[in-house]
Amino acid sequence: MKHRSALLAAVAALMAILSPAATATSAPEPFAPATPAPAAVCPSAAAPAAALPAELLGRTVRTMPGRRNGIALTFNAAWNETGLDAVLKVLHDENAPATFFLTGQFAEAHPAAARSMLAAGHGIASHSHSHPYFGELTCAGREREVRLADQALRAATGTAPLPFFRFPYGETTPQQVAEVNALGFANIEWTADTNGYLNTGGGMTVQKAVDRALDALAPGAIIQLHIGDPNDLPTILDAQALPRIITTARTRGYTITDLRTLLVPPAA
């Protein structure tokens, strides 16, 4: 617990100097594959570069580098808050950190839920404002989605979200990554999705969700789960799968690593 408190203090100190906009830069290895960002970036305004690690920029991050046996748990929230209480209880009981990627519309509709995630000690990050297909938007439209989401998350929680952005549907291009980088956000996606959000109507079961997560276990893996259900069903498979994912991952020698450690420079 002392180690986790020190980590959170370091992250808080770093977040204090972050601005909501940054200029994209190229990233060195060991991230792979690294796709060069386009030279031209079109957001309307860019602030001085934020204190984001350079290796998080200019690419889509799907694994955490240098985490020998660490994996990260992440939850998307775009529909309703069904399952949130169960998820937060499991994370508390297991002393496991997580990062919640919220849409701006979710934060506006469920501000108390957003605050409860933060109050439980977890990270809050952006998943766009209205969850559109970014490829169907103009650059100005994409910028609007990023900025509106940031404003909604700040209003709901009373604090700045993490400088992480997850694209709707995992749809990324080098140009779009460069745009969100220029607005001050690193693009954090996932190694594997449990697909629990499909629920039983989509052919999923708790066991299948667990298996998809466990099959992806590898150093630095980022697991994506979901809060709520797009069809307002009361059963949230990911909430039921979570205890087994955590227990089995730990049995296999993995630790649940806070995604916010990406913001803290590794020890020399």
Side-chain angles (χ1 to χ4, degrees):
M1 291 300 290
K2 289 182 178 179
H3 175 73
R4 186 176 178 188
S5 297
L7 170 62
L8 293 179
V11 171
L14 180 61
M15 288 295 294
I17 62 173
L18 291 176
S19 70
T23 302
T25 59
S26 296
E29 294 299 331
F31 283 74
T35 303
V41 179
C42 57
S44 61
L52 280 169
E55 62 265 24
L56 295 183
L57 303 175
R59 64 195 63 247
T60 294
V61 178
R62 293 194 179 276
T63 59
M64 300 182 294
R67 273 58 178 185
R68 292 185 181 89
N69 290 308
I71 64 169
L73 298 173
T74 67
F75 293 83
N76 292 357
W79 305 303
N80 51 49
E81 56 188 316
T82 308
L84 176 59
D85 289 344
V87 165
L88 291 179
K89 184 179 187 306
V90 172
L91 295 174
H92 176 271
D93 292 347
E94 296 291 342
N95 192 27
T99 302
F100 290 82
F101 286 82
L102 281 55
T103 66
Q105 289 182 343
F106 178 93
E108 291 168 348
H110 308 285
R115 290 192 295 271
S116 70
M117 299 168 189
L118 191 67
H122 304 295
I124 302 292
S126 175
H127 192 35
S128 81
H129 184 65
S130 64
H131 207 278
Y133 286 98
F134 265 44
E136 298 178 356
L137 303 177
T138 63
C139 177
R142 294 190 290 267
E143 179 180 355
R144 175 178 168 82
E145 280 286 324
V146 175
R147 292 192 183 279
L148 284 178
D150 186 64
Q151 293 168 10
L153 268 58
R154 288 169 183 262
T157 64
T159 189
L162 294 169
F164 297 157
F165 183 86
R166 176 169 285 174
F167 283 93
Y169 310 104
E171 175 192 71
T172 71
T173 68
Q175 175 65 30
Q176 291 165 197
V177 171
E179 291 167 8
V180 299
N181 286 174
L183 292 168
F185 299 90
N187 173 215
I188 309 295
E189 297 298 331
W190 67 90
T191 309
D193 188 328
T194 63
N195 280 357
Y197 72 93
L198 294 175
N199 224 310
T200 53
M204 287 300 297
T205 64
V206 173
Q207 186 60 53
K208 287 181 179 179
V210 170
D211 289 344
R212 285 182 61 86
L214 298 182
D215 288 346
L217 290 183
I222 301 172
I223 307 301
Q224 176 173 275
L225 305 97
H226 287 77
I227 293 296
D229 184 272
N231 299 308
D232 292 325
L233 296 178
T235 301
I236 306 302
L237 299 187
D238 281 341
Q240 297 179 22
L242 183 59
R244 292 161 61 182
I245 292 172
I246 294 174
T247 299
T248 308
R250 285 174 169 165
T251 299
R252 295 183 184 179
Y254 290 93
T255 61
I256 310 302
T257 300
D258 198 321
L259 196 62
R260 287 171 287 190
T261 60
L262 292 179
L263 297 173
V264 181

